[in-house]
Structures are given as structure tokens and as C-alpha cells.
Amino acid sequence: MRAKINEFLELWGTDLWESTIQTFQMVGISLAFSILIGLPLGVLLVLTRPGKALGNKFFYQVLNAFINIIRSVPFIILLFFILPFTKMIVGTSIGVKGVIVPLVVYTAPYIARLMESALLEVDRGVLEAYEAMGIKTRHIIWHVLIRESRSSIILGLTIATIGLIGASAMAGLVGGGGLGDLAYRYGHLRYEVDVMYITVILLIILVQGLQSAGNRLAARLKKD
Amino acid sequence: MIELKGISKSFTGKKGSIHALKNVSLSVKKGEIYGVIGYSGAGKSTLIRCVNLLEKPDTGAVVMNGVDLTKLSPGKLREARSKIGMIFQGFNLLKTATVYENIALPLKLTGLSKQETAERVTKYLKIVGLEEKHHAYPSELSGGQKQRVAIARALAHEPEVLLSDEATSALDPDTTEAILDLLLKINRELGITILLITHEMNVIQRICDRVAVMENGEVIEEGITKDIFTAPKHTTTKKFVNTLFSHQIPDQMLTELNKTGHVVSLSFFGKASGEPALALVSKKFDVYPNILSGSIAQLKEESFGQLVIHLKGEFAEIEKALAFLRQQQVQVEGVVLDESKNKRIS
């Protein structure tokens, strides 16, 4: 048994390790950009709702429709559909670099939606209390709106990250690498089932770990 | 101190527009506790929210210390708002912050130094009697304690005015009493003017110097609390006063009693409530008073009692007795069958 494991690791260890690193790279970098874009979009969605602080029906509806349109396109199609855009932004449309752009385009609107629903949970009265104390709107957004919904935000980001891991598996199609690509190329195309099983197990561990960590952090941040 | 001049506000909803406030004017003097009472939907909540412009009035002016708040730039308005404290029915504390942070955060955001913030938090937590709760989260506090934190948060900005939006409505009677005592203390010791809205007459009775009664977006009666209690004019005002004095006398009994004499209600105020006026009446005149119902209420400054009595005797003699009672500064009112059939009599 031990000999078998050693043999397997010798053969595939390097590939597995590199693929894992690639997955982490793709997911980490895309997640960071997606949050930077998605969170403010979520805040805008909440604030520009008719009747809210910066209520602007036109802006809200345009943003709303825009997000829905991007979210309607399956990732695999989005990946190819925005190739020219990807090339314009990062100068290439292949490799880890080339896959990050479509991943961000795919994930940011999703995060915006998740943030919107998290932020909407905040009691309007608290926001009003701060408004009544003469606190600036940008302070209210950060110190009240986002702070009070931080537990739901963490849960939302956990969901988004797991979705991102799934989407990154398709990155192999543009040479992005990663665990999903490894499983597809060797496991499916070359019938090396062992590799496929191992990558799937790795992905399961990754997703389980992320979800538990997210749940635990959210519970700790929640104080009511 | 605060003057509301001709405030009107309407909301457009799905069922057309609602006039929440119709040309409301009132003025609150420095250092007093002013109460606005009304049933839900009377517009009192909109009114208090117009004072710090959480709700922008359609027309009218909100003048505070001579400055019309409706004409201020957003920046100046924020400055003015930081001098107007507000507390709410729902407390509106940050759930994710400790008691200390709940008070400190707004201070920090208005640019107070760390040391000054710490001093103020300690000072005002002491005033509201929660100095040992610095590190508790709101979920660990009772309703009354949460409201105390909210009061401390409002006071920490050292405002001149405190607006109270149904601050005691979510609390049980004992806690309500304690919070009212705290508001009185704040008013007396810190000299903070308080404008409050409520639907509970006992709040008005306990702490208000002056009161306005609202109905359908209008102020229907206004005056010193004592006057409103002793001589309410409007039906709604009478109903509110009767929530404290509910003398229920069956119609049938009333009809019977009116055959042999006169049923009257007597209101005693302050000193008069201490005199044995009724005993004197039976000695001086040929009438036999029979007490049907009675109660006493403590107003902010004085006590106020009400008795419903039956005077048996000759009508001429009864008239003389009533004249004597009026002389003793007792307010006398005839009791008639109540039209609304709830048999509450004033």
C-alpha cells in the first residue's frame, strides 16, 4: 500500500502540487478583485434602491439589469465571449493571467448580489440613528451597514469562493491550469482515473474546509 | 428653543397620497419636557422626525435657536444634528458592538479624540447607571438596559435637545417608570430640553410640562399638562385622560341615582386634593354625598384626584353645596350618560 502511494506521488506529486497552487492563485486573485468590485456594487444596489439614501430609480434599474445580464451567461461561454476584452485588459487571453479576467467578470456580479442581500438585512433604524447623530454617509456605510452585516457578508463570500473554485476548473480550456484542468486532462482524456479521484478528493477537502471556516467565522462575528 | 412653523408633509403611497402633517406649528421652550400624544397614525412620529429632518417637510420651517434647519447645507445640517440627540422605540444599537463601542463609535466619527471619547463614555454610562456593562453586547442586555445605552449614546454628544420617539413603548410598566425617571433626571440635572412623542398618557402625566394632542395630522389641543388633565376640551383628549381615570358607572345605575339627586365628578388639584372638602359639604349643607368611584394621579409637579359622587338631597341644597366646592377650588362637572356607550365618564 505504502509503496503504491509512494509510486503515485512520485509520478503525480509535482503535477498535483502545481495544480493546487494554480487553483489557489486563480481563486485568490480573482476573489480579491471580485470583492473590490462586487462589494461596492452591492452597496450601490442597496443605496440606490428607490426610497433609500441615494434613491435613484434609473441608476438602480440599469445596474440591476446589467448584473442580471452578466449572471445569465454560463461561465464556459463567458470565457470565450469576452476573449477580446481579456486581451485588452491583461495583454493575453491564455494562462492563469488570461483566466482571471473572465473569473472576475463572472464572480463580481454574483458577489454584488450576495452583498446586496446581506446588506438589506441591516435594520433601517440603526442607519437612521446614525443619520440623526450627524454622521457622514460614507462612515455610515462602512461602520454601520457593512459592520452590522459582516456575518452575512462572510457567508456570502464563502458561497462565492466555492462557486469560483468550480468555475476555475474550466480554466484549463484557455490553459489556466489548476486542479480541475488536471482532472479533466489526465483523468478524462487519458483515462488515468487515479488522478481524477485524487483531484476530486482534494477539491472536496478544499470546499468542505472553506465552508466550515466560513461558517465558524460568521458565527463568531455574529453577536446577537 | 425649537419652533415648528406650519409643517406639512404628505406621502405618496400605492393608495394615493396621505397627508401625514397638516400645517402643524408648535414651540418647545428651553429646559422643558414637551410631550406630543396621539393614536398611531396621528402623524406624531412624522412630526418628531421632521425636527431633525430625518423626514423633510414639504412646507414649513424648523427653527432651532433661531436657525431654520430646512435651509441648511448638508454639512451644516450634520453639525446641527449632532446637537440633537434622539432615542427610539427600537433602541437602534449596533448588534455587533459592545456597550462601550456603541457609544464611542459615533463620537469617534464626529471627530472626538480617543481620550475625550473614553471620558464621555464613562461619564454618561454612569449617568444612566450602566457603568459595569462596558463590555456587554446588546443581546446580553434587557430592553430597559438597551434603552439606557441608547440614551447614553445620545447624551454623549452633549446635545441641547433630546428627541424621544416612543422610547418607552416597547418596555414593560416598571421599566417604563425607570426610564421616565431617568429622562426627568436628565432634564433637571443636565438641563436638556426634551421633546417626546407617545401614545401613553402616563408618560405625559409623569414627566411632561406641556403637551400637544394630535389627530389626523393636526394638533387639536395644546397646553400645560395640568390644564389638559383638568379641563380637556376635545373628545380625543378626554379619551386619553380617561385612560388614567376610568370611572365606569353603569347607565342604569346612573339613571336611578339621578332621580334622587345629582351625580357629579369632582377634580381636585394640588392643595385642594389634601382638604377634606367633601366632609365639610355634608356638615354644612343638607346633602348626603356618596362616593361612587375615585382615583388619584401624580402629575409631574402636583397630584390630581378625581371623584365621582352622588349628592342626595334637595336640588337647591345641592346647588349650594356645589357652589361651595367650586369655592374650595374643586372642579365640578355634571355626569351625563356617555354617548359612546363605553360608560367612561369624565
Side-chain angles (χ1 to χ4, degrees):
Chain A
M1 184 70 188
R2 170 161 270 178
K4 248 185 166 176
I5 294 176
N6 277 338
E7 193 192 332
F8 180 83
L9 281 181
E10 205 146 291
L11 207 56
W12 299 106
T14 330
D15 277 346
L16 277 171
W17 176 247
E18 270 177 10
S19 301
T20 310
I21 295 296
Q22 280 167 343
T23 294
F24 276 129
Q25 270 181 343
M26 282 188 291
V27 172
I29 298 171
S30 327
L31 183 66
F33 280 112
S34 300
I35 293 173
L36 281 179
I37 299 168
L39 184 58
L41 281 181
V43 171
L44 272 179
L45 275 174
V46 171
L47 291 183
T48 57
R49 264 174 190 254
K52 290 291 169 78
L54 304 170
N56 185 327
K57 208 171 171 186
F58 179 73
F59 184 88
Y60 174 76
Q61 279 173 348
V62 168
L63 185 60
N64 202 25
F66 178 70
I67 287 174
N68 283 345
I69 289 168
I70 296 186
R71 293 212 50 218
S72 320
V73 185
F75 180 66
I76 194 109
I77 296 175
L78 190 79
L79 188 62
F80 295 110
F81 189 67
I82 63 163
L83 277 177
F85 176 72
T86 309
K87 199 155 188 184
M88 195 184 83
I89 299 275
V90 290
T92 175
S93 57
I94 54 165
V96 170
K97 232 175 162 185
V99 87
I100 281 173
V101 175
L103 280 177
V104 169
V105 171
Y106 177 70
T107 311
Y110 186 34
I111 288 187
R113 275 285 177 247
L114 290 165
M115 294 305 104
E116 181 192 20
S117 70
L119 297 174
L120 281 175
E121 283 172 26
V122 177
D123 182 7
R124 178 153 177 68
V126 188
L127 302 175
E128 217 158 52
Y130 274 74
E131 199 188 336
M133 285 187 275
I135 310 287
K136 292 191 182 95
T137 309
R138 66 188 158 90
H139 286 319
I140 297 181
I141 291 171
W142 183 252
H143 292 281
V144 184
L145 194 59
I146 294 180
R147 180 197 176 113
E148 283 287 278
S149 52
R150 60 192 189 181
S151 174
S152 309
I153 287 178
I154 293 296
L155 284 179
L157 290 181
T158 309
I159 296 172
T161 310
I162 290 169
L164 196 52
I165 291 174
S168 78
M170 287 171 241
L173 294 170
V174 292
L179 284 172
D181 183 42
L182 189 72
Y184 178 74
R185 266 191 297 140
Y186 292 91
H188 181 69
L189 297 180
R190 283 169 55 180
Y191 301 107
E192 298 275 2
V193 265
D194 291 353
V195 181
M196 188 156 73
Y197 289 151
I198 294 295
T199 38
V200 169
I201 288 169
L202 278 177
L203 284 170
I204 291 173
I205 294 172
L206 191 61
V207 169
Q208 288 281 6
L210 262 173
Q211 189 66 55
S212 335
N215 287 350
R216 206 164 299 167
L217 183 60
R220 251 188 49 198
L221 290 176
K222 205 175 172 89
K223 300 293 184 186
D224 54 327
Chain B
M1 175 109 221
I2 308 170
E3 254 188 286
L4 302 178
K5 293 178 184 165
I7 304 281
S8 292
K9 173 82 189 176
S10 55
F11 296 100
T12 340
K14 281 179 186 140
K15 292 178 190 165
S17 67
I18 303 147
H19 289 279
L21 294 173
K22 299 169 196 158
N23 197 18
V24 174
S25 297
L26 51 87
S27 79
V28 182
K29 291 183 204 138
K30 194 170 171 56
E32 75 176 343
I33 302 184
Y34 193 102
V36 177
I37 190 166
Y39 293 111
S40 48
K44 55 192 191 317
S45 204
T46 311
L47 181 72
I48 200 163
R49 291 159 54 82
C50 277
V51 176
N52 57 4
L53 298 189
L54 282 179
E55 214 77 76
K56 306 248 177 320
D58 298 337
T59 57
V62 180
V63 182
M64 188 162 287
N65 292 328
V67 182
D68 184 354
L69 300 187
T70 58
K71 299 222 159 58
L72 292 181
S73 66
K76 289 273 175 209
L77 175 62
R78 272 202 300 274
E79 226 168 86
R81 274 175 173 168
S82 68
K83 288 290 148 208
I84 308 171
M86 190 167 191
I87 53 176
F88 306 84
Q89 179 173 2
F91 322 124
N92 294 345
L93 300 172
L94 293 178
K95 288 185 197 128
T96 55
T98 61
V99 166
Y100 183 93
E101 292 168 324
N102 257 298
I103 304 169
L105 181 63
L107 292 177
K108 188 184 124 196
L109 295 181
T110 45
L112 228 63
S113 75
K114 213 168 181 174
Q115 198 201 341
E116 217 174 328
T117 301
E119 279 168 15
R120 286 211 197 165
V121 177
T122 316
K123 179 180 170 191
Y124 288 101
L125 270 181
K126 197 169 174 198
I127 287 179
V128 300
L130 281 180
E131 57 266 71
E132 77 286 9
K133 292 282 183 193
H134 269 72
H135 303 295
Y137 283 94
S139 58
E140 299 157 8
L141 301 177
S142 70
Q145 287 173 326
K146 281 184 207 167
Q147 195 58 284
R148 282 170 193 273
V149 176
I151 292 173
R153 177 177 70 180
L155 293 181
H157 293 269
E158 315 209 309
E160 298 167 44
V161 185
L162 183 66
L163 305 176
S164 160
D165 186 351
E166 299 269 13
T168 58
S169 300
L171 305 174
D172 62 60
D174 283 351
T175 316
T176 297
E177 288 288 298
I179 295 293
L180 291 180
D181 282 339
L182 178 61
L183 290 179
L184 257 185
K185 178 175 143 187
I186 289 163
N187 173 250
R188 283 182 181 148
E189 290 174 16
L190 306 175
I192 293 175
T193 310
I194 298 177
L195 171 60
L196 63 85
I197 64 162
T198 181
H199 63 267
E200 296 167 318
M201 201 59 187
N202 71 313
V203 172
I204 304 286
Q205 166 214 333
R206 279 284 312 276
I207 67 171
C208 291
D209 298 298
R210 286 199 298 146
V211 56
V213 185
M214 279 191 78
E215 193 174 54
N216 294 328
E218 286 169 294
V219 172
I220 50 170
E221 201 165 342
E222 202 233 352
I224 298 168
T225 310
K226 175 178 147 179
D227 295 344
I228 298 291
F229 267 84
T230 45
K233 291 183 192 74
H234 202 278
T235 334
T236 307
T237 317
K238 284 180 184 165
K239 272 192 198 162
F240 273 120
V241 174
N242 278 338
T243 57
L244 293 178
F245 304 104
S246 65
H247 302 296
Q248 307 209 348
I249 296 164
D251 285 0
Q252 212 185 353
M253 190 175 169
L254 206 55
T255 325
E256 281 300 310
L257 288 170
N258 272 327
K259 284 178 191 160
T260 57
H262 226 61
V263 179
V264 290
S265 98
L266 309 177
S267 302
F268 303 86
F269 221 108
K271 253 176 99 186
S273 53
E275 294 280 319
L278 210 51
L280 286 173
V281 162
S282 60
K283 274 206 156 174
K284 286 194 172 187
F285 307 95
D286 190 17
V287 291
Y288 302 93
N290 178 22
I291 297 171
L292 301 174
S293 158
S295 57
I296 192 155
Q298 186 64 44
L299 295 193
K300 190 180 173 186
E301 309 288 350
E302 291 163 289
S303 54
F304 171 53
Q306 248 190 5
L307 276 183
V308 177
I309 60 163
H310 176 236
L311 283 174
K312 198 176 168 188
E314 293 289 323
F315 280 111
E317 205 59 17
I318 291 172
E319 280 307 315
K320 271 198 258 172
L322 293 180
F324 170 76
L325 283 170
R326 287 195 182 98
Q327 234 177 29
Q328 300 291 307
Q329 289 172 331
V330 176
Q331 286 193 16
V332 182
E333 251 181 286
V335 173
V336 284
L337 288 180
D338 197 30
E339 298 141 17
S340 60
K341 282 290 165 205
N342 63 1
K343 289 164 202 153
R344 277 185 172 165
I345 291 155
S346 63

